[in-house]
Amino acid sequence: VITEPVTLISAAPRAGSQILFPDRPLLSCAMAERLGRFAVETALPMAVSAFCKPLASVSTGPGYECRPRNRQAGAKVSSHGQGNAVDIAAMELADGRTISVEKPDGAATVKFLASLRVAACAAFNTVLGPGSDASHASHIHIDIEPRGKKGDSKFCQ
């Protein structure tokens, strides 16, 4: 069940511009708000700094997907099953260049993605990506599922 489901279409950094979410992920309102804010306030300025081009879109897949964690039978329901998670597979810059998480092309892209993952740890409760495990080799998983006894712990790999 998703509490307050929304379809995220875009986030607007300023009037007349937008960052698109072409996969239109179905998310909880809280996750959509956090992802939109992260795209505008963090990913966009990082892209401009790294590539001198603004971020135009973020490819995420569907967002909501009722399934067990890491697709392992018998595991706890994934944060995706509550609309509280999304997987960033790629981003596109305003000039059409694609930033692939799975196959970064060059040192600047590798550095950008590493910095983006570190920054995501401040905004989300869980951040997993290439190198953390085989299930996250092609994307950066981010979620807002509460962690720890007080619900404010972080898990970033």
Side-chain angles (χ1 to χ4, degrees):
V1 174
I2 300 177
T3 304
E4 300 182 83
V6 297
T7 299
L8 184 59
I9 298 168
S10 68
R14 62 185 184 285
S17 70
Q18 60 185 342
I19 298 170
L20 300 174
F21 291 86
D23 298 320
R24 297 178 169 228
L26 179 63
L27 302 168
S28 69
C29 185
M31 181 62 186
E33 189 276 332
R34 185 95 52 103
L35 178 57
R37 184 178 304 274
F38 179 75
V40 168
E41 296 177 0
T42 304
L44 173 66
M46 289 177 72
V48 170
S49 177
F51 306 110
C52 299
K53 299 292 178 195
L55 188 62
S57 71
V58 179
S59 297
T60 61
Y64 172 77
E65 184 181 359
C66 190
R67 61 171 174 79
R69 280 188 183 168
N70 299 329
R71 302 184 191 285
Q72 298 299 313
K76 179 180 173 182
V77 173
S78 169
S79 294
H80 290 278
Q82 294 129 23
N84 288 329
V86 75
D87 297 330
I88 298 173
M91 291 159 275
E92 186 175 311
L93 302 175
D95 64 0
R97 179 177 174 191
T98 299
I99 306 297
S100 169
V101 173
E102 184 175 22
K103 297 179 182 177
D105 64 344
T109 303
V110 170
K111 183 177 177 182
F112 168 76
L113 291 170
S115 297
L116 189 72
R117 277 175 73 172
V118 169
C121 290
F124 301 96
N125 295 345
T126 304
V127 179
L128 302 168
S132 62
D133 60 35
S135 296
H136 299 94
S138 63
H139 60 274
I140 299 172
H141 167 94
I142 53 178
D143 74 49
I144 59 170
E145 181 176 334
R147 301 185 67 83
K149 290 181 182 178
K150 295 182 181 178
D152 59 356
S153 295
K154 303 276 185 175
F155 184 67
C156 300
Q157 283 188 336

